[in-house]
Amino acid sequence: MLGFALDRVFGDPRRWHPVAGFGAAASALERVTYADRRSAGAVHELVLVGATTAFGFGLRRGGVVATALATWTVLGGRSLVRAGREMADRLESGDVAGARALLPSLCGRDPEVLDADGLARAALESIAENTSDATVAPLLWGAVAGTPGLLGYRAINTLDAMIGYRNERYLRFGWAAARVDDLANLVPARITGMLTAALAPAIGGHPADALRAWRRDAAEHPSPNAGVVEATMAGALGVRLGGRTQYRYGTELRPTLGDGPAPQVADLRRAVRMSEAVQLGAVVTAALWSVLRR
């Protein structure tokens, strides 16, 4: 709870962020471990996640203070909400160039090929997915496994963001990172979906619509986890997500999620409010679980 409060007040540190330091270390190690083989990627994953989790075990001696600081380190909820609001502000003012410049802080899509509607959709889908990845999942892993769970999960998720791509370089080397991240997010994504459905009335939505979109559409998504959180968000908002999705490494045709029109800027603002509600629901759930399991 203290770590969550620190994130809400301060957000991510602008300098000397531990996750950025982990990323730099992972990049340096990749120059040694890289080979176009799944086994090489598995070794890379094992070394980095294992070392980070072991460091988390060492932090257990620090008690409440260490847990709060570790929680603050791994959360990204405040920064996600801030980026979503700033994207909505830029789109609302007609600053498409500014919105394109901001998009890489939310997702890996190619902003230069997106118009205002495409930017709104990309930002909304990213907010849905990252609400789970940046807040719900680390909180739940922290509730289950303490500081090792917090740091170990963030290492897994960061490595997936770095090398878990289906491009020529990482198709095999990044396979382990992508699969481990899928496993680590299976339960958190579904809890995110349940929280989104339960809290849909907070943004004028209906739980039944969110659950219907989940049941009907989520399994069509190539990701077993992103499909759940994006479909429930689409259902809660009453919009249609998915379709042609262009990344820097190529184009994917994603399945349609939800019913209704394509999302507009107003829907992006509602998605930000939904994210804040789900984040709050997640920290309460994690805290209750931590108390009840003692």
Side-chain angles (χ1 to χ4, degrees), residues 236-264:
L237 293 169
V239 299
R240 182 183 71 256
L241 301 177
R244 182 183 174 87
T245 304
Q246 193 149 352
Y247 295 93
R248 295 188 186 278
Y249 61 81
T251 301
E252 296 182 15
L253 187 61
R254 294 290 178 82
T256 299
L257 307 173
D259 299 309
Q264 305 295 317

Side-chain angles (χ1 to χ4, degrees), residues 24-201:
S27 295
L29 182 64
E30 184 180 332
R31 291 194 287 270
V32 177
T33 58
Y34 180 81
D36 192 19
R37 299 191 304 270
R38 287 185 176 183
S39 59
V43 170
H44 185 76
E45 178 89 359
L46 181 62
V47 169
L48 288 165
V49 174
T52 307
T53 304
F55 181 69
F57 274 103
L59 288 180
R60 293 171 69 179
R61 302 173 186 174
V64 171
V65 172
T67 301
L69 291 175
T71 303
W72 178 27
T73 295
V74 304
L75 291 180
R78 170 65 186 275
S79 297
L80 177 66
V81 165
R82 186 164 49 204
R85 284 181 178 150
E86 188 173 352
M87 176 67 78
D89 289 341
R90 293 185 185 187
L91 290 173
E92 204 167 57
S93 67
D95 183 10
V96 175
R100 286 173 175 157
L102 181 62
L103 188 65
S105 68
L106 284 166
C107 63
R109 299 184 194 180
D110 185 356
E112 298 306 318
V113 301
L114 298 177
D115 58 11
D117 289 343
L119 289 163
R121 184 198 129 200
L124 198 158
E125 290 175 352
S126 178
I127 286 169
E129 183 174 2
N130 283 299
T131 296
S132 179
D133 290 357
T135 302
V136 178
L139 285 170
L140 295 179
W141 276 107
V144 169
T147 50
L150 289 164
L151 299 189
Y153 171 77
R154 179 49 63 208
I156 289 169
N157 191 244
T158 302
L159 285 172
D160 177 61
M162 293 179 70
I163 65 173
Y165 295 107
R166 299 174 183 174
N167 57 18
E168 185 177 353
R169 177 175 175 84
Y170 292 125
L171 182 62
R172 283 172 284 275
F173 184 75
W175 178 86
R179 297 292 78 75
V180 172
D181 184 75
D182 284 345
L183 289 172
N185 282 292
L186 276 175
V187 173
R190 281 143 187 84
I191 291 177
T192 302
M194 289 187 286
L195 288 170
T196 300
L199 296 170

